[in-house]
Amino acid sequence: MIHPTSTTALPARPSVLVTRAIFPEVLSQLRVHFEVDANQDDVLWSPQELVQRLQGKAGAFMTGTEKVHADLLAQCPELRICANMTVGYNNFDLPAMTAAGVLGTNAPDVLTETTADFGFALLLATARRVTESEHFLRAGQWNRWRYDMFAGAEVHGSTLGIIGMGRIGQAIAKRAAFGFGMQVLYHNRSRLDVATEAQCQARYVDKDTLLRGADHVMLVLPYSPQAHHTIAAPELARMKPTATLINIARGGIVDDAALAQALRTRQIAAAGLDVFEGEPAVHPDLLSVANVVLTPHIASATDGTRRAMASLAVNNLVDYLVHGRARTPLNQPVARA
Ligand code: DGY
C-alpha cells in the first residue's frame, strides 16, 4: 500500500553564515542545528557581498575582521547574532548592534595563556635579536664569532611595562615576575584590586612613568577610538633608547610610521609587532628596518587554542539561537520583532 505523502511541514531551521574557512568540525557542529552557508574556499568578500550572504541569516560565525555596522544591519533584518571567534571585537559597532537587536559575542579566556606565551616569544625574539641574527646567518654572512655580535638587551631582571592589564596582560605579568624575575609596571584604564596586583607582582603607574621606566613595553589593550595611537612620536620620545616595544594588541594602537622612524634613528632599540595599522598591509618603512621582528597576527595561533576559540563561537550561536542565552555576550540587544 502506498502511504500518502505527509503534508505537515517541518519547522524551518535557522540559517547561519560562516564568513571564512574554518575547521570542518565547526561546520558539522553547526549543521546539527542550522542550515549552514560556508566559505571553505576562504573567498574575501567585499562589504556588499558580505551583506548579500548575510541576508536571510539568523546568525554569523565571524573571525574578527568582518565589519558589522548600522548600514549592514539595516540590510539584514533577520540577523540576530554575530559570533566572533576572537577575543577582540573592534569589528563590531556594538551600539548599532544593540539598537538593531543583534547580539555580539566574542571568545575570551580560551586564548589567554597562548597569547601571553606569544607575547613573551616576541619579547625574547626582539630583545635578543633572534630573527635579525637568523637572517644574517641565512645570508651566509656568519664567518666568525665576535664579542659584540648581535648583543641584545637583558630580559631577566629587567623592567617590563604592560599597557592594558586585562586577562592577557595579567598572564604576561605572571610570566615576567615569576619566570624571569622582572619588575612589572602596568598602566590600565582602571587600577586592579590589591589582591590581583599581588598575584601578578605588578605595580600601577601612570603612562608617562611606565614609558620612562620600562626596559620593555608590551601593549595588550583592546582597540577603541580612545586607544588609537596610544604609542606615537611623543610616547616613543619618552622611552629609553635601549627599550623595546612589543605590540600584540591591535593595529592602530601604535602609529606605525612614527615607530619606523624611531627604529631607523635608534630612538628606541627594537620592536616586535604581531599587529599592524591596515593589516594585512604592513607599513613599507617597517619592512626596511632591521631592528623589528614582524609576525602576521599569530599570537593566538596554536591548533588547540584556535579550536577552542572556534568552539566557543559555535556554542554562542547554538546557545543563543536554540536556547535564547549566549555564553559570552557583549551587549544586551532589544529582541528583534
Ligand atoms: C583576538 O582574538 O582578538 C586575536 O587578535 C585573534 O587572534
Side-chain angles (χ1 to χ4, degrees), residues 63 85-89 107 111 115 248-250 275 297-301 306 309:
T63 59
M85 68 171 278
T86 54
V87 67
Y89 52 89
L111 46 56
T115 304
I248 57 165
R250 272 292 179 275
V275 287
H297 202 148
I298 56 168
S300 64
R306 286 284 164 86
M309 292 160 68

Side-chain angles (χ1 to χ4, degrees), residues 46 70 99 120 162 210 217 279 285 309 316 319:
S46 68
F120 246 88
I162 302 175
L210 184 147
V217 174
E279 66 184 51
D285 293 353
M309 292 160 68
N316 272 318
D319 286 0

Side-chain angles (χ1 to χ4, degrees), residues 108-153:
D109 296 322
V110 289
L111 46 56
T112 300
E113 300 300 331
T114 298
T115 304
D117 284 349
F118 189 82
F120 246 88
L122 202 48
L123 169 59
L124 288 165
T126 304
R128 298 301 309 276
R129 305 176 67 179
V130 172
T131 56
E132 196 184 345
S133 61
E134 184 187 348
H135 291 149
F136 171 87
L137 181 152
R138 285 181 187 271
Q141 293 177 273
W142 184 31
N143 56 16
R144 73 189 80 170
W145 183 92
R146 252 188 76 92
Y147 73 98
D148 61 349
M149 192 167 69
F150 293 106

Side-chain angles (χ1 to χ4, degrees), residues 48 51-52 54-56 69-78:
Q48 200 43 46
V51 167
Q52 282 163 6
L54 270 176
Q55 285 171 338
H69 45 70
D71 186 43
L72 173 147
L73 294 164
Q75 297 177 74
C76 303
E78 288 170 60

Side-chain angles (χ1 to χ4, degrees), residues 58-96:
F61 177 109
M62 296 185 154
T63 59
T65 49
E66 307 82 354
K67 300 238 176 297
V68 178
H69 45 70
D71 186 43
L72 173 147
L73 294 164
Q75 297 177 74
C76 303
E78 288 170 60
L79 191 61
R80 293 181 54 215
I81 171 173
C82 294
N84 265 358
M85 68 171 278
T86 54
V87 67
Y89 52 89
N90 52 306
N91 58 318
F92 290 163
D93 179 341
L94 276 185

Side-chain angles (χ1 to χ4, degrees), residues 164-232:
M165 201 61 159
R167 302 174 187 85
I168 299 170
Q170 292 172 34
I172 288 166
K174 288 175 190 159
R175 282 162 176 73
F178 299 111
F180 288 81
M182 299 172 89
Q183 286 79 53
V184 181
L185 308 177
Y186 79 95
H187 185 68
N188 198 42
R189 268 179 309 183
S190 50
R191 189 172 169 171
L192 301 178
D193 60 66
V194 175
T196 310
E197 281 188 353
Q199 279 165 15
C200 298
Q201 295 282 293
R203 184 159 67 86
Y204 180 81
V205 292
D206 61 39
K207 186 174 155 192
D208 195 60
T209 305
L210 184 147
L211 292 172
R212 291 185 196 282
D215 298 305
H216 310 287
V217 174
M218 179 101 64
L219 303 174
V220 205
L221 65 166
Y223 183 84
S224 66
Q226 297 72 35
H228 189 73
H229 288 187
T230 293
I231 301 292

